[in-house]
Amino acid sequence: MVPILANRYAQIWEAHRPEFSALVRIPSVYDKQSASAAAPCGAPVARALEWMKTLCAREGFVIREYDGRAFSASWGAGERIDIVSHLDVVGVSDDWAEDPFSGSVHDGFVHGRGTQDMKAGAYLTFLALKLAKDSGIVPNREIRLVYGTDEERTMDDMRRYVEQAGLPAFAFTPDGAFPMINGEKGALMWTVEGAYSGAVRALTGGIQPNVIPPEAAAVLDSSAGICAEDAVQRAAQLGVTAQIGPTPQGLLVHVRGKAAHASKPEAGRNALADLLRLLAALCEEDEIRRLAAVLGDAYGRGAGIEEELTPMGRLTMNLGVAAIEEGRLRFLVDCRYPYGLDSAALTAALARRLPGYGVSLSYDDPPTFTPEDDPYVLALKEAYTEATGRECTAAVSGGVSYSKVFGHCVTFGAVAEGSELLAHQENEKIAEADCVKALEIYHRAILKLAEK
């Protein structure tokens, strides 16, 4: 193995930091309006993919393209190891302290949507592979960077890639935090829809199902006879942060929560759940009370699906997107479930609690697990310990990554162990110190994987 000089990584990061900020500045949120055959996830996401492809081509990696949904950049030949990243990011609310796509650097952090989830990992693994290639060693395996565009929604991008490229011998994705995630809960999405004819004239809220909604609003028909003063008092009693006032259409109730990743309800506050609780208290209406009771709990207690199965822990449930409009109701619900549970049984249980509505399983990815004694996993763990001096322990996550597509895959970084996790939250940022250390870990890991 080539010698590694740890004190060089900070200098390398500082030289390339402007390039990383440029990637963060691309607002690569799915955009249906500009989607096309050449850009299936929209123009902004396609721009991020092209930007990253240009960097990889510049360094002389072998480029392969996959229908505008993904590309790969390879170094070496032989047994294939994939390092898989996504360049799409979730949407943003209005609650950011600064431009969410600034890529600004101050106070020791790079700021912006996607810095943690997961443009840092995407960029740092590229930089680590460049360092390995520039060292002049001849790898015994093919190390392949793979970049996708639709991880935050469907992961169809990577399914398409695997259909065409086949599965690698092993993969890891830098889409989380160190040390390592070697197992993921199952992830599903329910669509709940049907007719609605109660006191709520309109309701809206949420960014996407895998984000805890930071705000939600409803308009109550004036015939319901609810005055603003009573509503304000009831919100205070319930601990709900709300702005309430009359409009020509009826009483407007606007609730604020806190965005976070859907798998981490303890890190956020669900504005839609709070709104339903408040509406249930204000309206003499069984249907709203039922919706609040069934969909408002983050651990599935009201839905009759509360479970905690070791070692994966508790089931979580997130009412992520909701709309009531012109007498129709449509809710999107995210659920992360541990081994031992069946998605069809969970769907049936939820449907029993919501009679009169259609409950469909719109998306389902079962749990995944890779043993800690896997030889590829051991190589990553060795790299981590050499770079940090700490043991690399593995854990199970409620998050969803490309591991779901690859199976023989773990999540490895890029956020440092113990750092604040801000994926899908306002004011997302990553510490420069985390980036420097991750660069060293990835460089060591690539060298080990390439030479074994």
Side-chain angles (χ1 to χ4, degrees):
M1 181 179 290
V2 298
I4 294 175
L5 302 176
N7 61 345
R8 284 279 296 148
Y9 292 105
Q11 297 171 338
I12 294 166
W13 164 252
E14 187 172 354
H16 289 83
R17 181 178 56 202
E19 207 163 58
F20 173 58
S21 288
L23 177 59
V24 175
R25 285 197 293 272
I26 302 173
S28 49
V29 180
Y30 174 79
D31 179 34
K32 184 177 181 179
Q33 297 281 3
S34 61
S36 66
C41 295
V45 179
R47 184 151 61 94
L49 191 71
E50 186 64 29
W51 187 94
M52 199 72 231
K53 185 170 63 177
T54 299
L55 257 63
C56 291
R58 180 191 72 190
E59 299 303 326
F61 298 126
V62 177
I63 306 296
R64 299 176 181 88
E65 299 187 56
Y66 300 90
D67 304 328
R69 300 174 185 273
F71 80 88
S72 66
S74 298
W75 171 62
E79 182 182 66
R80 194 177 102 222
I81 307 293
D82 285 359
I83 303 171
V84 195
S85 300
H86 65 88
L87 298 172
D88 59 313
V89 299
V90 298
V92 297
S93 69
D94 296 329
D95 294 333
W96 284 65
E98 61 179 285
D99 177 3
F101 296 105
S102 69
S104 65
V105 182
H106 55 84
D107 305 321
F109 290 86
V110 183
H111 298 255
R113 172 59 86 219
T115 45
Q116 287 197 15
D117 186 16
M118 61 162 294
K119 289 181 177 179
Y123 182 76
L124 291 167
T125 48
F126 153 76
L127 198 54
L129 191 65
K130 166 182 160 54
L131 295 179
K133 180 177 179 291
D134 290 350
S135 67
I137 69 169
V138 178
N140 295 322
R141 288 175 171 146
E142 177 189 351
I143 308 297
R144 179 183 290 193
L145 302 172
V146 185
Y147 292 99
T149 55
D150 202 20
E151 192 270 355
E152 296 292 1
R153 294 189 325 125
T154 68
M155 292 199 282
D156 285 344
D157 55 337
M158 217 43 59
R159 292 187 181 91
R160 182 74 63 88
Y161 164 77
V162 167
E163 285 175 5
Q164 296 183 29
L167 286 169
F170 176 71
F172 77 83
T173 178
D175 191 13
F178 288 115
M180 179 183 291
I181 299 296
N182 70 324
E184 293 181 354
K185 294 178 186 176
L188 62 80
M189 188 185 82
W190 289 303
T191 300
V192 179
E193 52 192 341
Y196 171 81
S197 59
V200 180
R201 291 190 60 176
L203 183 148
T204 185
I207 297 172
Q208 57 192 58
N210 62 355
V211 179
I212 294 173
E215 56 184 315
V219 176
L220 295 175
D221 196 288
S222 55
S223 65
I226 301 166
C227 72
E229 292 78 8
D230 290 344
V232 169
Q233 184 178 15
R234 186 54 64 92
Q237 291 170 347
L238 293 172
V240 173
T241 301
Q243 292 178 307
I244 300 169
T247 71
Q249 291 76 35
L251 186 68
L252 175 64
V253 181
H254 186 273
V255 171
R256 291 277 183 179
K258 182 178 186 295
H261 196 284
S263 67
K264 297 183 178 295
E266 71 282 359
R269 177 147 189 165
N270 191 311
L272 277 169
D274 276 355
L275 177 60
L276 287 177
R277 285 197 304 121
L278 179 55
L279 295 179
L282 295 174
C283 301
E284 295 294 326
E285 187 179 319
D286 289 342
E287 202 53 42
I288 289 296
R289 292 192 186 109
R290 185 199 308 274
L291 290 168
V294 173
L295 300 176
D297 182 76
Y299 300 102
R301 286 171 287 214
I305 58 173
E306 181 187 17
E307 292 283 356
E308 181 168 2
L309 301 178
T310 56
M312 288 197 162
R314 300 179 78 176
L315 174 149
T316 62
M317 179 172 152
N318 178 59
L319 175 57
V321 178
I324 296 176
E325 185 177 10
E326 297 181 351
R328 296 293 299 176
L329 175 150
R330 189 170 189 267
F331 291 175
L332 303 181
V333 182
D334 177 288
C335 177
R336 310 297 167 105
Y337 62 97
Y339 268 123
L341 299 182
D342 176 74
S343 59
L346 293 173
T347 303
L350 180 62
R352 286 193 295 270
R353 297 295 178 99
L354 293 173
Y357 292 103
V359 177
S360 58
L361 184 61
S362 310
Y363 171 89
D364 183 29
D365 261 321
T368 58
F369 185 77
T370 298
E372 284 194 65
D373 60 358
D374 179 277
Y376 302 99
V377 170
L378 291 174
L380 298 184
K381 295 178 79 167
E382 288 172 8
Y384 181 83
T385 299
E386 289 173 5
T388 66
R390 297 190 297 272
E391 181 183 1
C392 183
T393 55
V396 169
S397 167
V400 170
S401 74
Y402 283 141
S403 292
K404 288 279 191 278
V405 177
F406 287 83
H408 190 197
C409 181
V410 299
T411 302
F412 191 52
V415 181
E417 183 179 6
S419 288
E420 184 180 13
L421 301 179
L422 296 169
H424 296 194
Q425 298 187 40
E426 288 94 0
N427 304 315
E428 185 179 349
K429 60 185 178 180
I430 191 165
E432 290 197 82
D434 287 11
C435 294
V436 171
K437 184 52 66 176
L439 178 59
E440 179 183 354
I441 294 168
Y442 291 140
H443 186 207
R444 289 178 180 272
I446 285 169
L447 292 176
K448 288 180 181 295
L449 290 171
E451 293 188 347
K452 280 187 176 290

